[in-house]
Amino acid sequence: MSGSDTVAEGIALETDDALMAQVDFAKGDGLVVAIVQDATDGAVLMVAYMDEEALRRTLATGRTWCYSRSRQEYWEKGETSGDRQYVREVRIDCDGDALVIVVDQHGKGACHTGERTCFYRTIGRGPGVPRPQ
């Protein structure tokens, strides 16, 4: 590979073991929802699932790892497409059964269709309600 073809490695994340122990994998038959969010603008890029091993791989490598329910195997985001995610932060929700993975998205985007986000289609649209002053 030439220098321009090399792939940047992720950087392991500092881990809070006490919070890691609060992730409730049992509630979802061994899986938790992982919402992947762009660190730059907060856009939700994709939703996937993680088991404890996928989460540990994510924390150890600084790259997004998920568990495919249909293929029953682990996959690292971007290994096939080249559209990699470098993890900045992993957050846990109040119930311990969902994660937000904050990433720097590299390449075209997160969606297997080639779109930047998997949420590129809008079912309904409205004006919204102003927030109270």
Side-chain angles (χ1 to χ4, degrees), residues 112-131:
H112 73 281
T113 65
E115 296 288 336
R116 175 174 177 257
T117 169
C118 294
F119 298 94
Y120 61 92
R121 302 177 292 176
T122 302
I123 292 175
R125 191 180 316 262
V129 176
R131 293 183 181 198

Side-chain angles (χ1 to χ4, degrees), residues 69-116:
R69 296 176 300 166
S70 59
R71 296 187 315 266
Q72 296 190 347
E73 66 184 15
Y74 297 101
W75 56 277
E76 185 178 15
K77 179 62 184 142
E79 276 309 297
T80 303
S81 67
D83 299 330
R84 294 174 175 82
Q85 295 172 345
Y86 297 93
V87 181
R88 284 194 187 182
E89 190 172 62
V90 176
R91 300 177 186 161
I92 182 174
D93 79 331
C94 57
D95 294 326
D97 59 0
L99 303 171
V100 173
I101 314 299
V102 181
V103 302
D104 289 320
Q105 176 69 51
H106 289 234
K108 286 176 59 177
C111 189
H112 73 281
T113 65
E115 296 288 336
R116 175 174 177 257

Side-chain angles (χ1 to χ4, degrees), residues 58-69:
T58 297
L59 294 168
T61 65
R63 298 272 307 276
T64 306
W65 280 87
C66 301
Y67 184 78
S68 170
R69 296 176 300 166

